[in-house]
Amino acid sequence: MSADPVRRRLLGALGASIGLTAAGLPIQLSAAGGRVVIVGGGFGGAAAARALRQLSPGLDVTLIEPSAVFRTCPFSNLYLGGLRDYGSLGHHYGYLQGPHGIRVVRATAVDVDVERRRVHLHDGGRVPYDRLILSPGIDMRWDALEGYDEAAAQRLPHAWKAGAQTRLLHRQLRAMDDGGLFVMVIPDNPYRCPPGPYERAAMVAHYCKRHKPKSKILLLDAKDGFSKQALFEQGWRDVYGDMIEWVGFSADGQVLRVDADERLAETAFGERHRAAVMNVIPPQQAGRIARQARVTDSSGWVPVKPETFESRQVPGIYVIGDAAVAAPMPKSAFCAHAQAGVTAAAVLASLANRPPPSPVWLNTCYSLIAPDYGISISGQYRLRDNAIAEVTGGISPLEAGPGLRQREADHARDWYHVMTTAIWGA
Amino acid sequence: MRKMVSFPSRRRRVFAAVLATPFLSTVMSVAAADPVPVTTLAYGCMGCHAAPAAEGSGIRTLAGRDADDLLAAMKEYRAPGGTASTSMHRVIGGYSDVELQALADHFAGQEP
Ligand SMILES: Cc1cc2nc3c(=O)[nH]c(=O)nc-3n(C[C@H](O)[C@H](O)[C@H](O)COP(=O)(O)OP(=O)(O)OC[C@H]3O[C@@H](n4cnc5c(N)ncnc54)[C@H](O)[C@@H]3O)c2cc1C
């Protein structure tokens, strides 16, 4: 890697009297020719673009993203619950291209030529890079659950990528009769947003309590425990009585087959549940472009060097967000944002042929039980023995008055506003 | 990647110390062998506190606040049984005194 031509060029250009920012990071790399390309304008990718330009204002940064408007999964459950409208989930790229000097290319990356360091676009375009950051999020594994393919998802929506799927589930829930059974099929770990299904259950219950109070929500889960479980179960009970029922793996919660026409879920022991509305969250894997770039392993996810999130398999490609194996960090938007900051600094250091700075990552995931009832999980992560470790963290207390739950609900809304503004806003 | 560096990390630190003017404010973390740059430390806080969006919300903006006030508040959150908070006390435990001081100075020096 010391033969890396970009590094040599940079070293020559920067020399010994390199300009340093407050972080001790080199500035104005673009003058020396560092081109950073990012695939995916979601939480990880758009945040990485912002962070790179903040740390190195002149840097040549290109962001490849097919959508004009990004819809956030965070708060899409609130939309299902009737707390937010669909428009509020959308964020566009105007500020990134304008004031922040990021080149936004509206395209899908279809391949990566790792030898020549070029990204291939769906329209035949080629984008050369010196360092590549992939933050493509997740793809569903259409082969993992019998009966659940892309066509089935048109009847049994996953709504695990925000957009048309979210609207479809919203429509189905609105059209459901009072007394209908809402079934959610939940996968084993790892998957996007560990507490997400359980927040969704609460938000669906919130809607039903007001409009369809005879309805029931049945959660069929492929595992025996979940994030913030005691807090969720307490909240569900306190606010919605027995409207929500959770069935874990040991109680025959694992669904092995679905029938989209019949709206039927069949469990490991052959029990069949027929739903009025069925939300199937299937097993997942890294977004397709990660497989094309050959950075995934047999798990379908991307192994990375913990210090930088550079691929363990292909040098010069960094993978952040849900696609990466970052455990014990959860696959959350908050973590994707945190990883973007650390990886931006690592990419700049790499371009300047310097060792990466030591990392620290934070996470806080809020979940809403009700509009005035929030709970959360937080953690701080550092490197320990060259692996990612949680150094401190915790969840909301089980014993708490309505005041704290209200404040956490307020903070959830504040967090969403701050995070989306920091990434896509002015 | 570290293997490519031509001098060992102790010398790197000395090198950093020589350059340690107000422009180079890396700090030593107690726990980790290498210092975490204050920009990396501060970036983590931006997940909730990024200005100016935090204005008007229950989450306070940090930029331009008094360094002593910030440091005192962070130490309160970190103290066992300290200030009641929603999540601050859960994430702040891992920071050393040196890191908290660096964060306080960093945010105090930012334009509000
Ligand atoms: C219901 C639900 C609720 C959630 N709530 C929260 C929450 O409250 N808090 C929280 O922290 N997290 C939450 N999450 C998790 C959060 O959505 C993800 O962790 C986060 O989006 C991950 O960011 P990412 O950058 O990896 O992927 P994404 O944010 O999904 O971004 C990926 C982007 O890459 C683009 N892309 C993919 N492939 C290509 C390609 N080949 N070429 C070009 N572009 C491409 C996509 O169009 C997309 O814009 C929730 C998730 C769900 C499902």
Side-chain angles (χ1 to χ4, degrees):
Chain A
M1 285 218 357
S2 54
D4 182 334
V6 179
R7 283 227 176 86
R8 261 190 278 117
R9 236 187 309 152
L10 275 169
L11 280 177
L14 293 168
S17 58
I18 177 178
L20 295 172
T21 66
L25 294 165
I27 54 172
Q28 267 150 20
L29 284 169
S30 67
R35 295 160 304 184
V36 182
V37 173
I38 302 164
V39 175
F43 281 92
R50 292 289 299 261
L52 282 163
R53 293 278 304 185
Q54 265 153 24
L55 291 168
S56 176
L59 191 74
D60 186 337
V61 179
T62 302
L63 179 66
I64 302 170
E65 162 65 48
S67 319
V69 178
F70 179 75
R71 308 276 172 194
T72 62
C73 283
F75 277 29
S76 64
N77 289 334
L78 279 65
Y79 162 63
L80 293 173
L83 275 56
R84 291 249 158 167
D85 62 34
Y86 186 70
S88 73
L89 303 176
H91 305 274
H92 62 84
Y93 296 95
Y95 285 112
L96 275 75
Q97 337 193 36
H100 296 290
I102 296 153
R103 189 180 311 112
V104 180
V105 176
R106 220 173 127 190
T108 300
V110 292
D111 208 349
V112 180
D113 181 339
V114 299
E115 297 301 323
R116 289 145 114 176
R117 297 204 169 194
R118 296 196 308 202
V119 178
H120 295 193
L121 306 181
H122 74 284
D123 58 5
R126 303 273 186 274
V127 185
Y129 65 86
D130 297 312
R131 299 292 180 275
L132 177 63
I133 299 176
L134 303 179
S135 192
I138 56 158
D139 270 357
M140 305 306 145
R141 283 185 46 199
W142 298 117
D143 59 348
L145 177 61
E146 194 187 327
Y148 198 67
D149 55 15
E150 282 188 83
Q154 295 310 312
R155 316 192 78 154
L156 316 178
H158 53 76
W160 221 239
K161 287 185 181 189
Q165 278 278 309
T166 319
R167 300 194 79 142
L168 179 60
L169 186 59
H170 187 272
R171 264 202 311 278
Q172 291 186 353
L173 178 60
R174 288 335 183 245
M176 186 174 85
D177 290 334
D178 189 9
L181 178 67
F182 184 101
V183 171
M184 194 188 303
V185 177
I186 305 171
D188 198 357
N189 295 314
Y191 63 97
R192 159 174 283 182
C193 196
Y198 314 99
E199 178 190 61
R200 176 170 290 176
M203 288 292 99
V204 171
H206 173 75
Y207 166 79
C208 289
K209 187 179 170 184
R210 296 172 64 193
H211 301 285
K212 284 146 198 181
K214 295 200 288 268
S215 303
K216 287 264 182 248
I217 298 156
L218 177 65
L219 311 182
L220 300 173
D221 206 328
K223 55 194 177 298
D224 264 332
F226 58 89
S227 176
K228 298 182 267 194
Q229 181 166 356
L231 284 164
F232 272 115
E233 289 179 335
Q234 173 181 269
W236 291 342
R237 212 173 34 246
D238 288 355
V239 184
Y240 306 112
D242 58 3
M243 187 180 262
I244 301 171
E245 185 190 351
W246 176 75
V247 182
F249 176 85
S250 301
D252 196 24
Q254 188 189 24
V255 170
L256 293 185
R257 191 180 75 87
V258 296
D259 184 324
D261 294 330
E262 303 288 324
R263 287 215 175 90
L264 204 84
E266 192 176 319
T267 64
F269 288 96
E271 187 156 354
R272 295 160 153 234
H273 302 273
R274 192 180 301 270
V277 174
M278 192 181 298
N279 172 204
V280 178
I281 305 164
Q284 297 147 32
Q285 58 190 339
R288 181 183 162 78
I289 190 65
R291 300 200 289 289
Q292 295 299 114
R294 290 183 219 97
V295 290
T296 51
D297 66 14
S298 59
S299 72
W301 303 102
V302 180
V304 292
K305 299 176 188 170
E307 198 168 11
T308 56
F309 281 56
E310 186 179 15
S311 160
R312 286 184 186 277
Q313 294 168 194
V314 183
I317 302 185
Y318 297 72
V319 183
I320 58 174
D322 290 353
V325 177
M329 272 189 263
K331 295 188 187 301
S332 73
F334 201 114
C335 281
H337 172 268
Q339 290 158 10
V342 167
T343 294
V347 163
L348 291 174
S350 158
L351 283 170
N353 202 19
R354 292 155 47 89
S358 288
V360 59
W361 303 272
L362 292 185
N363 180 53
T364 295
C365 285
Y366 293 99
S367 302
L368 283 191
I369 302 282
D372 59 354
Y373 192 137
I375 57 176
S376 68
I377 181 165
S378 311
Q380 182 190 139
Y381 305 87
R382 297 200 188 216
L383 280 190
R384 293 285 181 267
D385 303 323
N386 206 32
I388 299 167
E390 182 176 315
V391 295
T392 179
I395 61 172
S396 310
L398 259 180
E399 253 131 82
L404 184 73
R405 305 292 190 222
Q406 172 75 63
R407 271 201 295 151
E408 293 227 75
D410 291 342
H411 279 178
R413 286 181 275 265
D414 294 337
W415 167 78
Y416 182 86
H417 174 65
V418 171
M419 177 71 86
T420 54
T421 308
I423 297 177
W424 291 279
Chain B
M1 301 293 268
R2 285 216 181 270
K3 286 194 193 72
M4 299 180 336
V5 183
S6 52
F7 43 88
S9 62
R10 236 190 60 214
R11 280 192 48 203
R12 214 165 62 231
R13 245 175 266 147
V14 175
F15 174 70
V18 171
L19 284 179
T21 63
F23 302 108
L24 186 75
S25 45
T26 38
V27 292
M28 294 297 299
S29 138
V30 183
D34 288 306
V36 178
V38 71
T39 43
T40 299
L41 291 170
Y43 183 87
C45 311
M46 292 302 101
C48 294
H49 291 276
E55 230 170 88
S57 80
I59 302 174
R60 293 194 62 182
T61 309
L62 303 175
R65 303 238 325 256
D66 181 76
D68 293 342
D69 290 353
L70 280 173
L71 185 63
M74 288 190 286
K75 287 194 163 167
E76 258 296 302
Y77 282 129
R78 202 184 52 177
T83 312
S85 69
T86 50
S87 56
M88 274 306 294
H89 65 284
R90 290 187 240 139
V91 292
I92 207 164
Y95 297 106
S96 68
D97 283 351
V98 181
E99 288 177 334
L100 291 190
Q101 181 71 60
L103 279 170
D105 293 341
H106 175 84
F107 289 123
Q110 283 185 332
E111 264 182 57

